[in-house]
Amino acid sequence: MSWFELNEEKFHHCCQLILQQSEQLSDGWIWEVVQGSKEGYLRKTALRSVTIDSKSVQKQKGSSLDPEPHTSYHSSVEQQGQEDEQPDCIKDDIDDEDAGICMMTANSSQVLQFEYHILYSCSYSSPVLYFRAFTLEGRSLTLEEVWNSVHPNFRLCLQNSPLDTITQQEHPLLGQPFFVLHPCRTKDFMRPVLQAAQDQHRPVNYVLSWLSVVGPVVGLDVPLKYSTQLHPAASLSSTEPD
Amino acid sequence: MADDKDVLRDVWFGRIPTCFTLNQDEVTEREAEPYYLLLPRVSYLTLVTDKVKKHFLKVMRAEDVEEMWFEYEGTPLKWHYPIGVLFDLHASNNVLPWSITVHFKNFPEHDLLHCPSNSVIEAHFMSSIKEADALKHKSQVVNDMQKKDHKQLWMGLQNDKFDQFWAMNRKLMEYPTEEGGFRYIPFRIYQTMSDRPFIQKLFRPTSPEGNAHTLGDLLKEMYPDALTNDGKSPHKGTRWVNTLRHSSYPTAYLSVISFGDGRK
């Protein structure tokens, strides 16, 4: 196992350190155990006020310019809430007819409940971020709505990559639909981070550094305090090369 | 591999006779006849059921139709598992044809992934191919392939073209002779009696002493307490390399079904 790879044991160790720090910072991370196994995952829920960038909604849907830009995204979501069982494709049609006109309006924001899970992938020897989001009424966000909640700067980068980076997939431990940031590029962006840390003999928590890169894409910010003040001695131990 | 083509063909062309019936609660303008189809084990439900959809839409009004999904005896069927896995997991003990219920409303958001288009299936398929190659070759083979090679794999599956698919897939199944095998065996053990959908861990094709691992070795290591059954029933002494090359689904995962009720 190379120093740049994360094995399961190291993953658990990194998670333990995050949990200790999270407790002191009241950041809300907890460890969920999977029944009948040693495996588990880090979990956190957060309320977020999400600003929807409406221009890109239009770009994504590829619909023609609509002359009646009245309805905000917010009200569009409420409207969809009543049509909870509608599949995406039908929703799109409905949106385009009435509520979807929102695409032309100015940005709006609404409060959403996000649930983040950090799992270990043995295939990619890396952590993976799973998440799902609900409106306060309890309706699950669609993949399209999740994309629209991503900051436009990130969104352009991600959508121009060959593989759509956010997809809906089965949570490998719970068997339920979650959104996931695809892990296949993780090693590419972690390598320079780890290399620099190694060269400068700096401590680094793989999972924490990784999270600080991928988390903000989906609104999960990692407070700087994780890396500065807490337990420098404890975090040192995570830097031991294998 | 050339000598093994018959086995590959038998696996590829495996079919399950299936009867699709419209859910009784759907609103129809006249009675919906059941629809019969031979389902390819290696494909995906949502990829091969265009005809089923068309058949039932004939008796329904457009406003009553939402995203189509399938259910077997109360269990929503996960389209992102290969059809053969779904059958072995849920219905292998029952008489044929396999009786699947078709729904056009009340999509089970908490159980199923949405499948709005074939491009979603393609993305899922490619993501499985990539993950399996990460295990087999550290992603080297799949990353060396060109976009058109990836497309060839997908088109082979989509259009049921055995030769087209295997001309490319054989590259994913090769390894340098001196290495004696893949890095790890991509496998999934699906479980019937657990919320957790499947078990997937690292497993080398050979023991530290250099002996080839068998299917029995894997089951012993991963799942010591349960009785297991393999969908395609290779002998437990079969060497991994052969099992994987012959029996894995196009997603490149060898799939083993584990029944928690002691069935063998």
Side-chain angles (χ1 to χ4, degrees), chain A residues 39 85 87 123 168 170 177, chain B residues 66-67 78 80-81 114 131:
Chain A
E39 289 164 84
E85 318 301 336
S123 307
Q168 194 186 31
E170 179 178 33
Chain B
E66 296 162 15
E67 184 170 352
K78 294 177 175 176
H80 63 287
Y81 291 177
H114 283 289
E131 187 174 344

Side-chain angles (χ1 to χ4, degrees), chain A residues 1-2 5 34-35 37 39 84-91 120-125 132 134 138 140 142 162-163 167-178 182 184-185 187, chain B residues 62 65-68 78 80-81 104-116 123-124 126-127 130-132 134-135 138-139 143 147 183-184 195-198 200-202 253:
Chain A
M1 181 72 55
S2 106
E5 288 189 14
V34 178
Q35 217 181 358
S37 91
E39 289 164 84
D84 222 6
E85 318 301 336
Q86 297 271 14
D88 286 353
C89 52
I90 309 281
K91 257 183 196 157
Y120 179 72
S121 161
C122 62
S123 307
Y124 291 106
S125 323
R132 54 184 171 185
F134 306 93
S140 309
T142 64
L163 196 77
T167 54
Q168 194 186 31
Q169 284 185 24
E170 179 178 33
H171 191 297
L173 299 176
L174 301 181
Q176 296 166 8
F178 268 69
H182 203 272
C184 65
R185 300 270 164 204
K187 275 184 204 151
Chain B
V65 175
E66 296 162 15
E67 184 170 352
M68 179 171 68
K78 294 177 175 176
H80 63 287
Y81 291 177
F104 287 97
K105 57 175 185 249
N106 299 329
F107 190 90
E109 301 278 348
H110 293 289
D111 298 305
L112 299 185
L113 307 180
H114 283 289
C115 185
H124 170 76
M126 282 317 300
S127 148
K130 285 183 179 189
E131 187 174 344
L135 289 164
K138 277 194 161 188
S139 307
N143 286 347
K147 183 91 188 149
R183 257 174 92 235
Y184 298 104
D195 287 340
R196 184 176 183 175
F198 51 78
Q200 185 180 336
K201 288 186 176 153
L202 298 181
Y253 275 94

Side-chain angles (χ1 to χ4, degrees), chain B residues 142-246:
Chain B
V142 77
N143 286 347
D144 283 349
M145 285 181 169
Q146 295 176 8
K147 183 91 188 149
K148 69 172 172 56
D149 300 335
H150 292 173
K151 209 74 192 170
Q152 181 174 337
L153 283 169
W154 166 246
M155 294 305 283
L157 179 73
Q158 186 180 29
N159 301 327
D160 196 20
K161 301 286 187 210
F162 173 84
D163 292 325
Q164 188 183 4
F165 177 83
W166 268 100
M168 196 50 64
N169 195 49
R170 53 186 287 279
K171 295 184 185 175
L172 291 162
M173 289 296 183
E174 283 169 353
Y175 51 83
T177 327
E178 64 271 17
E179 283 174 26
F182 298 129
R183 257 174 92 235
Y184 298 104
I185 297 286
F187 75 92
R188 283 179 180 168
I189 301 178
Y190 294 84
Q191 313 180 105
T192 54
M193 304 296 276
S194 165
D195 287 340
R196 184 176 183 175
F198 51 78
I199 290 179
Q200 185 180 336
K201 288 186 176 153
L202 298 181
F203 188 73
R204 300 245 185 222
T206 49
S207 68
E209 298 80 38
N211 300 322
H213 273 146
T214 63
L215 181 56
D217 292 331
L218 174 98
L219 296 178
K220 231 184 301 176
E221 185 167 326
M222 300 296 156
Y223 222 58
D225 302 330
L227 295 166
T228 48
N229 181 23
D230 183 323
K232 297 196 187 81
S233 300
H235 188 268
K236 278 187 190 166
T238 310
R239 285 179 171 208
W240 262 113
V241 169
N242 293 330
T243 313
L244 181 72
R245 283 178 154 187
H246 293 157

